[in-house]
Amino acid sequence: VQLQASGGGLVQPGGSLRLSCTASGSVFVENVMSWYRQAPGKQRKSVAAITSRGSFDYAESVEGRFTISRDNANNTVYLQMNSLKPEDTATYYCHILLLGGISVGEKYWGKGTQVTVSS
């Protein structure tokens, strides 16, 4: 399974960005797609996750500002980020957990995409 993320960039505080991540390869239909982020010198942390059935969860720090969604037909997950703050600056990583098939339990990471929030 390969994950290709895009959509990062430089934005001013209060601005918006939309990240996209498409999974390809042997992607079992039941899975959880997530976004993590890692700031310099800090641990990688979960930002938001969404199952193939549409259940989702957010980190408290982004609740109400970020929205995760997905297109199951295209194995794509999105992260709409609004009201961005300087503390949202990080490298954002896409992640998938397979929930069935011969690859059940396998996890994959995409290459990160940089999000910088600065005036």
Side-chain angles (χ1 to χ4, degrees):
V1 174
Q2 297 82 42
L3 297 171
Q4 182 65 49
S6 62
L10 172 64
V11 64
Q12 292 186 342
S16 299
L17 281 175
R18 189 192 195 206
L19 305 182
S20 300
C21 176
T22 298
S24 60
S26 301
V27 182
F28 187 74
V29 63
E30 294 288 339
N31 58 69
V32 182
M33 296 189 78
S34 308
W35 290 97
Y36 286 72
R37 68 185 181 187
Q38 187 170 20
K42 296 188 176 181
Q43 288 187 325
R44 190 174 299 187
K45 294 184 177 180
S46 176
V47 175
I50 186 167
T51 72
S52 46
R53 299 189 181 192
S55 298
F56 52 84
D57 190 30
Y58 296 98
E60 187 175 337
S61 59
V62 306
E63 187 88 49
R65 299 188 297 121
F66 290 10
T67 302
I68 191 168
S69 61
R70 62 186 290 163
D71 176 357
N72 287 337
N74 293 301
N75 290 322
T76 299
V77 64
Y78 305 96
L79 186 67
Q80 177 66 43
M81 305 184 293
N82 298 329
S83 302
L84 282 161
K85 304 175 181 180
E87 50 263 43
D88 294 318
T89 295
T91 301
Y92 284 69
Y93 296 89
C94 182
H95 178 271
I96 188 168
L97 167 64
L98 303 181
L99 299 179
I102 61 173
S103 301
V104 59
E106 291 186 3
K107 306 173 184 179
Y108 298 89
W109 291 96
K111 293 183 180 179
T113 184
Q114 179 66 34
V115 172
T116 302
V117 185
S118 175
S119 55

